[in-house]
Amino acid sequence: MARIVQKFGGTSVGDVERIKNVALKVKAEIDRGNEVAVVLSAMSGETNRLVGLVNQMGSLYDAREYDSVVATGEQITIGLLALALQDLGVSARSWLGWQVPFHTDDVHAKARIQKIDVDELDKRMKTGEVPVVAGFQGIGPDNRITTLGRGGSDTSAVALAAALGADRCDIYTDVDGVYTSDPRIVTKARKLEKITYEEMLEMASLGAKVLQTRAVEMAMKHGQRLQVLSSFEDKPGTLVVDEEEIVEKELVSGIAYSRDEAKITLVRVSDKPGVAAAIFGPLSDASVNVDMIVQNESVAGKATDLTFTVTQADLERAVKTLEKHSDDIGYEKLHSDANVVKISVVGVGMRSHAGVAQRMFATLAEKGINIQVISTSEIKVSVLIDEEYTELALRALHTAYGLDAA
Ligand code: ASP
Ligand code: MG
């Protein structure tokens, strides 16, 4: 017997027929003799609709009332699933966040879970009852409903699984797992059987949008085993696990990319102490997130060019901020370019192997692709290139690291 938390996303509970299909998936686990708790999202599109209603009331709103409105989508799906389960003869009841309760802090609209009281759920699961729990919500110290930020029901599920001591948290979604690269571009991409938390974090923050980043961080912290799988097919997905569980570590597990990048170059910045602080201080005050940074060699020791990347949404704000502070910083020209893409190779295997970066550079060189910026971390090498070469670079790298499906 195992204890499992099953989480179903918006498309999986998108209409009544799909909710009935979810009930069958839950029953199948119960029939295998397992204890099951379910966490649900709202029907797909519903939370957007609710946010839209709030916005129609004006742009300056009370976040506590925003939470009260946007948390309602999940109330509908949990009630409907409990009914569908009862219809199949499975004992089930719905639970709102405050009923469990999921205690959170008071940062409305992006609250963090602090503690979940699972005693009652635990007791009922042992009798075969299935708790059907609303994701995305909790109750704050002010005794009011909170929500966890968009996509937060993944985090609800992982937190509940950890609190219940579940053997596995299955995240059912509309893709069947985590791939070595984006299968829409790299047709030879393979589904990974297993991936480590750390790799998943890199892949998730790089745009492989299968899991909310916070949910992966929480799973890593608690050592909670996760599985990402499709609710529309009947086959295993990808397990997200601790590094020790993976015996055959691949050098590189995946190639990720992000088109949401923009490059800024400051030409002939004076090369003296305090210049980097004069540039990045105002940017940080303006809430601009800077990612990759390179500074080239000084020209005769007096000036230097500095290039860095920001997200496309921040580009305009970054440029305006730098122009405003141009006197303090002292640069000759500012160039910006939004036609860039960041490509990253990710893998825990590179901790213990040399030559991973070199293979990336050689592969891109062979294709005549120019590298504009490079950055590395312990398990990742990223390069910035012209957006035009995204597909070519992804496919070439996928082949070069031996990831292509047979
Ligand atoms: N329904 C919420 C949203 O759309 C939470 C979730 O689906 O994870 O953001
Ligand atoms: Mg989601």
Side-chain angles (χ1 to χ4, degrees):
M1 190 204 75
R3 178 172 268 197
I4 294 168
V5 170
Q6 295 180 303
K7 185 259 166 178
F8 296 90
T11 48
S12 310
V13 294
D15 58 36
V16 166
E17 278 320 304
R18 288 185 173 183
I19 290 174
K20 288 182 177 169
N21 175 52
V22 164
L24 292 173
K25 298 241 173 223
V26 177
K27 184 172 188 298
E29 281 306 351
I30 292 285
D31 290 347
R32 268 175 228 137
N34 294 328
E35 288 176 5
V36 182
V38 180
V39 174
L40 296 185
S41 293
M43 291 182 179
S44 52
E46 178 65 4
T47 309
N48 286 344
R49 189 183 72 86
L50 295 167
V51 171
L53 291 178
V54 173
N55 285 330
Q56 283 176 47
M57 286 296 162
S59 56
L60 276 179
Y61 49 72
D62 178 346
R64 291 164 297 191
E65 302 304 349
Y66 165 96
D67 279 348
S68 155
V69 175
V70 303
T72 58
E74 277 74 11
Q75 181 164 351
I76 297 172
T77 49
I78 57 171
L80 291 173
L81 181 63
L83 289 172
L85 284 166
Q86 289 168 10
D87 228 33
L88 296 175
V90 176
S91 155
R93 77 153 265 197
S94 63
W95 295 82
L96 289 165
W98 64 268
Q99 292 173 315
V100 175
F102 278 65
H103 293 288
T104 71
D105 62 18
D106 62 357
V107 187
H108 284 274
K110 40 174 185 286
R112 285 182 171 264
I113 299 169
Q114 287 173 332
K115 185 171 173 290
I116 310 175
D117 295 337
V118 289
D119 292 353
E120 187 61 27
L121 258 53
D122 186 69
K123 213 162 74 198
R124 292 178 183 232
M125 285 171 76
K126 287 183 176 136
T127 71
E129 185 175 306
V130 176
V132 184
V133 179
F136 181 51
Q137 57 176 264
I139 183 159
D142 52 0
N143 208 28
R144 302 201 52 180
I145 290 167
T146 53
T147 63
L148 309 180
R150 297 306 305 275
S153 53
D154 289 343
T155 303
S156 307
V158 173
L160 183 63
L164 285 169
D167 299 287
R168 216 172 60 226
C169 179
D170 285 344
I171 309 272
Y172 286 87
T173 176
D174 47 8
V175 296
D176 61 357
V178 181
Y179 278 73
T180 49
S181 194
D182 184 344
R184 286 167 306 182
I185 296 177
V186 182
T187 48
K188 288 180 180 156
R190 281 184 290 118
K191 189 172 83 184
L192 291 161
E193 206 181 304
K194 285 185 181 174
I195 186 169
T196 68
Y197 298 118
E198 277 177 291
E199 289 168 331
M200 190 62 222
L201 274 179
E202 295 289 2
M203 302 285 275
S205 62
L206 289 168
K209 293 186 192 65
V210 260
L211 278 177
Q212 202 201 26
T213 307
R214 249 169 80 193
V216 185
E217 282 166 0
M218 185 173 296
M220 179 156 118
K221 189 170 131 208
H222 294 282
Q224 176 63 55
R225 300 175 88 236
L226 282 183
Q227 181 179 205
V228 179
L229 70 174
S230 163
S231 47
F232 305 112
E233 285 165 70
D234 216 5
K235 58 180 190 201
T238 300
L239 279 172
V240 189
V241 295
D242 202 79
E243 209 173 318
E244 275 121 56
E245 261 199 62
I246 301 184
V247 191
E248 280 292 320
K249 288 188 191 57
E250 298 285 346
L251 195 54
V252 163
S253 299
I255 322 272
Y257 69 103
S258 164
R259 286 199 160 103
D260 183 26
E261 307 284 324
K263 181 180 74 166
I264 296 176
T265 302
L266 294 174
V267 181
R268 292 191 66 79
V269 184
S270 53
D271 194 9
K272 56 172 197 238
V275 166
I279 296 168
F280 297 113
L283 288 176
S284 135
D285 292 342
S287 300
V288 172
N289 249 322
V290 174
D291 181 18
M292 314 166 91
I293 303 176
V294 283
Q295 184 183 340
N296 79 351
E297 223 170 289
S298 316
V299 177
K302 281 205 215 73
T304 174
D305 291 352
L306 208 124
T307 299
F308 55 92
T309 63
V310 299
T311 64
Q312 293 201 356
D314 284 350
L315 179 59
E316 205 186 308
R317 199 149 27 96
V319 170
K320 288 221 173 90
T321 304
L322 292 167
E323 283 170 354
K324 202 171 107 197
H325 290 83
S326 63
D327 286 346
D328 314 331
I329 303 168
Y331 56 86
E332 221 172 79
K333 253 187 264 156
L334 185 159
H335 300 299
S336 68
D337 182 3
N339 295 319
V340 288
V341 63
K342 181 170 77 174
I343 310 257
S344 306
V345 300
V346 176
V348 288
M350 68 179 78
R351 277 205 190 108
S352 47
H353 284 87
V356 173
Q358 173 50 23
R359 191 180 305 180
M360 183 178 204
F361 305 152
T363 305
L364 296 173
E366 218 170 88
K367 299 286 176 195
I369 299 171
N370 188 42
I371 298 171
Q372 304 178 11
V373 185
I374 301 169
S375 76
T376 63
S377 77
E378 220 191 344
I379 66 161
K380 180 180 77 173
V381 184
S382 304
V383 297
L384 196 76
I385 61 170
D386 190 328
E387 192 172 9
E388 190 185 335
Y389 300 116
T390 310
E391 285 82 5
L392 180 62
L394 286 176
R395 290 181 194 133
L397 291 168
H398 201 266
T399 306
Y401 288 102
L403 295 173
D404 286 356

